Amino acid sequence: MSPLVKIRSERDQMSAVERRIADFILENAQLLRDYSSQQLANALGISQSSVVKFTQKLGFKGYPDLKYSVGEAIARADNGDATHVATKAAEAHDESGVGSLWRRKSEAEEETRLINTPDTLQAVADAMATAGAKGKVFMIGLGDDDIYARSFALRLSLLGIPTVHNFDAARMAASVSAAGAGDVLLVFSEHGNHPALCKIGRFFRERRGRLITVTRHTSNPLRALADIALLVSAHDDRPYIQPVLYQSALQHLLDGVFVQLCEGDEQRHVQLLSNLERVQQMLDP
Amino acid sequence: MSPLVKIRSERDQMSAVERRIADFILENAQLLRDYSSQQLANALGISQSSVVKFTQKLGFKGYPDLKYSVGEAIARADNGDATHVATKAAEAHDESGVGSLWRRKSEAEEETRLINTPDTLQAVADAMATAGAKGKVFMIGLGDDDIYARSFALRLSLLGIPTVHNFDAARMAASVSAAGAGDVLLVFSEHGNHPALCKIGRFFRERRGRLITVTRHTSNPLRALADIALLVSAHDDRPYIQPVLYQSALQHLLDGVFVQLCEGDEQRHVQLLSNLERVQQMLDP
DNA sequence: AATTCGTCTGAATTAGATATTCCAAGACGA
DNA sequence: TCGTCTTGGAATATCTAATTCAGACGAATT
């Protein structure tokens, strides 16, 4: 039972001094944290030993025991709205727009998480894994997208999946020209309407490769071509925030695929770990 | 901030004895309630004074203060679990560790947000802005870090800040060789111990440039050189998660600086907006 | 009315916990 | 190699909590 409830319930059968202690605690529970038994006694003009006896009578081991119990009770009580620590902290900081950024990022990431079902992530991860075993993964993105394509490509490489990343359409075209069944092409394009990329995508599909697109959550020509389409959702009026959100959400999505890839299948998991170990060995000495 | 998060985030730059204390507390937080500083010391085979010093180093008034804070945190957490069954269930439903990833990411990002004060972000943003007016921003990162250096460099360029980004130390050395007062060098190095980067940093400072480092939250030679040090905190046992968290936290940090840069100063804000508009005009038609 | 008993309280004491000081050993740079 | 700095522990000082003991008060009994 909460210590405060206990105190209240016993209050009526207490002596005068005890009742004063009880009342003080009930009214100033949050102050208790900084009071020693002596200070509390002083504040009430009574002796320290009375305070200790009070706590023992109530069934606590001693004064600190009561103190900690009350502290916990308060913590539990005012927890009501502290749902997500991150959100809370972000809101508290909320000065100069930076605080709001964290919230907007969370929102964008969450939206993105919701519009891509776990099944989709799993399907993408499986496609990568298959390509890792029987073929190659090609990856391309232009502009800002190239960075995330590259980052993701590096991660796949670390897992032992043969990955080809190109910065521009011309090189990609060359790389893809000989692709075939068992290969995967991952195209990053925020708006999904870059003609060169669409063309490469179409060609790749004709060669029986699996096409995965990563675009904004709109209907766009690139997405229409895809075997599997990953979608990113992010909105903000401010022109300089917009890309930050898009990139966060995109990164978030890729993180999800990556972990799914690492952990989705037991056998794969083991194999990937040994891969990483070999990489470490090469780098360490 | 939750005392446990705080302990976690500082753990990496603790001495051996301190780390043992940290680990014990993290693993047995609920036991703390019944431990005196002396008992805790005995349990770990260390001296009582070390325990007290540990708590003070972390910013608590003393051992009881820490103990009390941990108690509150646990109480809050317990309650959280009980009340937010829905959230819990949702996370359980997208199984196989992907659910936990989002939480781990949030934690890493939060930690990182906490160890870099708003003042630091502001200082970095100001340094960039000044460099944009009177000099140049140089940026370098090796390995995985290069991606984030590049991404950030692109953003700065969009804002009209002259930015030089290099993928390798040799080119950077060449770029930096003529740097001077008014210039800023931003060095990304997860472990902060790359000799070539330290050397470039030292040289750059001799040329009176401002050196900003971005490293893991440990004490490392690179960070020691810096005018301003940005810190990233991220931990996970799983070798494939670790980099994901590091990169998320890093990205998060850079986002913060970027927004601070965009919104921190009214005049700058207006100017940056018009810049963006011009960029749009060039790309649109 | 005086005595006795029980209860309550505080002063004094003791026990216990926490904080500080000081010193030795090791790490790090010059 | 020699300071210098850092770290951890022993000893100590300070503070806190718990117990003991004695006096005060009141109710019940003779």
Side-chain angles (χ1 to χ4, degrees):
Chain A
M1 157 162 48
S2 153
L4 296 173
V5 173
K6 180 180 248 163
I7 292 174
R8 177 159 297 140
S9 73
E10 309 238 344
R11 196 195 100 101
D12 288 346
Q13 330 173 25
M14 290 177 180
S15 69
V17 170
E18 286 171 341
R19 197 167 304 169
R20 281 171 62 202
I21 303 176
D23 289 344
F24 184 90
I25 294 177
L26 290 173
E27 281 168 37
N28 308 289
Q30 72 299 341
L31 289 185
L32 218 59
R33 193 189 205 289
D34 306 311
Y35 274 46
S36 67
S37 61
Q38 181 66 65
Q39 286 173 302
L40 176 55
N42 290 345
L44 292 167
I46 60 175
S47 77
Q48 178 251 342
S49 63
S50 294
V51 173
V52 173
K53 283 170 194 160
F54 171 84
T55 64
Q56 291 171 333
K57 232 181 203 172
L58 280 167
F60 295 94
K61 262 179 59 188
Y63 177 74
D65 189 16
L66 167 73
K67 191 165 146 176
Y68 284 116
S69 299
V70 170
E72 286 170 353
I74 293 175
R76 254 187 278 272
D78 69 13
N79 170 331
D81 48 347
T83 52
H84 241 312
V85 187
T87 322
K88 236 322 163 60
E91 279 167 9
H93 264 231
D94 210 322
E95 313 146 27
S96 70
V98 174
S100 97
L101 173 68
W102 316 132
R103 211 172 333 130
R104 308 283 300 148
K105 276 186 63 162
S106 293
E107 285 167 16
E109 291 173 355
E110 198 182 342
E111 269 181 49
T112 300
R113 224 153 59 206
L114 288 171
I115 55 180
N116 295 277
T117 64
D119 291 348
T120 311
L121 297 196
Q122 183 65 58
V124 173
D126 287 344
M128 302 282 164
T130 312
K134 301 190 203 159
K136 274 199 279 289
V137 176
F138 298 94
M139 221 171 277
I140 187 170
L142 303 178
D144 282 354
D145 284 313
D146 80 347
I147 288 169
Y148 295 89
R150 181 177 177 74
S151 151
F152 195 56
L154 283 181
R155 286 187 185 169
L156 291 188
S157 303
L158 272 183
L159 297 180
I161 297 175
T163 310
V164 179
H165 168 250
N166 287 109
F167 278 114
D168 64 86
R171 278 166 226 250
M172 196 72 237
S175 299
V176 163
S177 62
D183 291 340
V184 169
L185 171 62
L186 203 55
V187 183
F188 293 79
S189 173
E190 176 166 355
H191 298 101
N193 55 11
H194 200 294
L197 294 182
C198 291
K199 208 157 168 188
I200 290 177
R202 243 187 315 268
F203 182 84
F204 185 76
R205 291 214 53 178
E206 276 167 22
R207 304 278 306 173
R208 333 206 94 247
R210 261 170 104 59
L211 177 66
I212 302 176
T213 63
V214 186
T215 69
R216 206 171 251 293
H217 182 32
T218 53
S219 58
N220 60 64
L222 188 57
R223 176 185 170 189
L225 292 172
D227 289 295
I228 313 176
L230 290 172
L231 302 170
V232 177
S233 182
H235 318 275
D236 200 285
D237 302 334
R238 293 165 289 183
Y240 50 92
I241 295 286
Q242 167 85 17
V244 170
L245 296 185
Y246 181 82
Q247 290 168 21
S248 278
L250 171 55
Q251 183 67 65
H252 201 65
L253 180 58
L254 294 178
D255 287 346
V257 172
F258 179 71
V259 171
Q260 192 66 258
L261 182 56
C262 292
E263 300 188 341
D265 180 275
E266 183 55 35
Q267 193 191 341
R268 215 152 71 203
H269 185 62
V270 174
Q271 194 196 326
L272 297 180
L273 281 182
S274 72
N275 240 86
L276 281 176
E277 223 160 276
R278 283 201 298 278
V279 173
Q280 275 307 323
Q281 283 173 2
M282 276 191 274
L283 292 175
D284 254 14
Chain B
M1 145 165 54
S2 154
L4 296 174
V5 172
K6 180 180 248 166
I7 292 173
R8 190 76 173 90
S9 76
E10 308 259 344
R11 196 195 101 101
D12 283 354
Q13 44 176 15
M14 289 178 181
S15 66
V17 168
E18 287 170 341
R19 195 166 306 168
R20 280 172 60 201
I21 303 177
D23 289 344
F24 185 90
I25 294 178
L26 290 172
E27 282 168 34
N28 307 290
Q30 71 301 340
L31 289 184
L32 216 61
R33 192 187 205 286
D34 307 310
Y35 273 47
S36 67
S37 61
Q38 182 66 66
Q39 286 173 303
L40 176 55
N42 289 343
L44 293 167
I46 60 175
S47 77
Q48 178 254 342
S49 66
S50 294
V51 173
V52 174
K53 284 171 194 163
F54 171 83
T55 63
Q56 292 171 334
K57 228 181 203 170
L58 281 168
F60 296 93
K61 264 179 56 188
Y63 178 74
D65 189 17
L66 166 73
K67 191 165 148 178
Y68 205 87
S69 300
V70 170
E72 287 174 342
I74 293 177
R76 255 188 276 272
D78 281 357
N79 198 17
D81 281 0
T83 51
H84 295 299
V85 182
T87 320
K88 259 283 154 106
E91 279 167 8
H93 144 280
D94 66 305
E95 41 189 289
S96 72
V98 174
S100 100
L101 174 67
W102 317 131
R103 211 171 335 138
R104 306 285 298 145
K105 275 186 63 164
S106 292
E107 285 168 17
E109 291 174 356
E110 192 194 350
E111 272 182 42
T112 299
R113 225 154 55 208
L114 288 168
I115 55 181
N116 295 279
T117 64
D119 291 348
T120 310
L121 296 196
Q122 182 66 56
V124 173
D126 289 342
M128 302 281 162
T130 313
K134 301 189 204 160
K136 275 199 279 289
V137 176
F138 297 93
M139 220 170 277
I140 187 170
L142 304 178
D144 281 355
D145 285 312
D146 79 346
I147 288 169
Y148 295 89
R150 181 177 179 76
S151 150
F152 195 56
L154 284 180
R155 286 186 185 169
L156 290 187
S157 304
L158 272 184
L159 297 179
I161 297 175
T163 309
V164 179
H165 168 250
N166 287 108
F167 279 114
D168 65 87
R171 279 165 224 250
M172 196 72 237
S175 300
V176 162
S177 62
D183 290 340
V184 169
L185 171 61
L186 201 56
V187 183
F188 294 78
S189 173
E190 175 164 355
H191 297 101
N193 56 9
H194 199 294
L197 293 182
C198 290
K199 208 159 171 189
I200 290 177
R202 244 188 310 267
F203 182 85
F204 185 76
R205 291 214 54 177
E206 275 166 24
R207 304 278 306 173
R208 331 205 96 246
R210 263 171 102 57
L211 177 65
I212 302 176
T213 62
V214 186
T215 69
R216 205 170 252 289
H217 181 32
T218 55
S219 57
N220 61 65
L222 187 56
R223 175 186 170 186
L225 291 172
D227 288 295
I228 312 176
L230 291 173
L231 302 170
V232 176
S233 184
H235 320 271
D236 202 287
D237 301 333
R238 294 164 290 182
Y240 50 93
I241 296 284
Q242 167 86 15
V244 170
L245 296 185
Y246 182 82
Q247 290 167 20
S248 277
L250 171 55
Q251 184 66 65
H252 200 65
L253 179 58
L254 295 178
D255 288 346
V257 172
F258 179 72
V259 172
Q260 192 66 258
L261 182 57
C262 293
E263 302 188 341
D265 179 274
E266 183 55 33
Q267 194 190 340
R268 215 153 69 204
H269 185 64
V270 175
Q271 193 194 327
L272 296 180
L273 281 183
S274 72
N275 239 89
L276 280 177
E277 224 161 275
R278 284 201 297 280
V279 172
Q280 275 308 322
Q281 281 172 5
M282 275 191 273
L283 290 176
D284 254 14

